[in-house]
Amino acid sequence: MRSLVLAFVAALVVIAAGNFLIHGKILQPRYLASPQLLRGAADSEAHAPFLLAAFALFSLGAVWIFSRTLGGAPWVQAGLTFGAALWLIASASRYLTHYAIAPWPPRVVALQIGLELPLMLAVGLTIAAILGRRVPG
């Protein structure tokens, strides 16, 4: 149980820090170019707890799914495979959906998708390193 809690906390830190870096710093100037698609600064701050809740739910789900997988790959391979799956499910599909719904510039969507790949790989590796599990390769 202790390793599950540790994996959850570590994944939460990685996903929150990565999202802050990607969306709060790197992509911030591009987001500000489309202010009609975003909340204002005060409104964003008021909704920050929802971001933390989303990061916690994502981390909980990722650790839960990974902890239920078994198989034959070394932990690095398992972590990268799991991270790639997270990226397909949680990043690539989400930003393509956002693009279909809202008029985001294609370059922003491509950057969102591309920048989140290393983040999701890092999340997968973090969880795999702590849980030491193996998934089918």
Side-chain angles (χ1 to χ4, degrees), residues 36 124 128:
Q36 74 281 7

Side-chain angles (χ1 to χ4, degrees), residues 8 12 15-16 47-59:
F8 165 74
L12 178 59
I15 200 71
H47 286 83
F50 291 96
L51 279 177
L52 294 176
F55 298 154
L57 290 171
F58 174 87
S59 300

Side-chain angles (χ1 to χ4, degrees), residues 119-132:
L119 173 58
M120 293 300 146
L121 294 175
V123 171
L125 285 169
T126 299
I127 294 169
I130 293 168
L131 296 182

Side-chain angles (χ1 to χ4, degrees), residues 63-86:
V63 169
W64 177 44
I65 292 168
F66 189 88
S67 71
R68 298 291 189 269
T69 60
L70 304 169
W75 75 267
V76 171
Q77 182 181 346
L80 291 173
T81 301
F82 187 64
L86 290 174

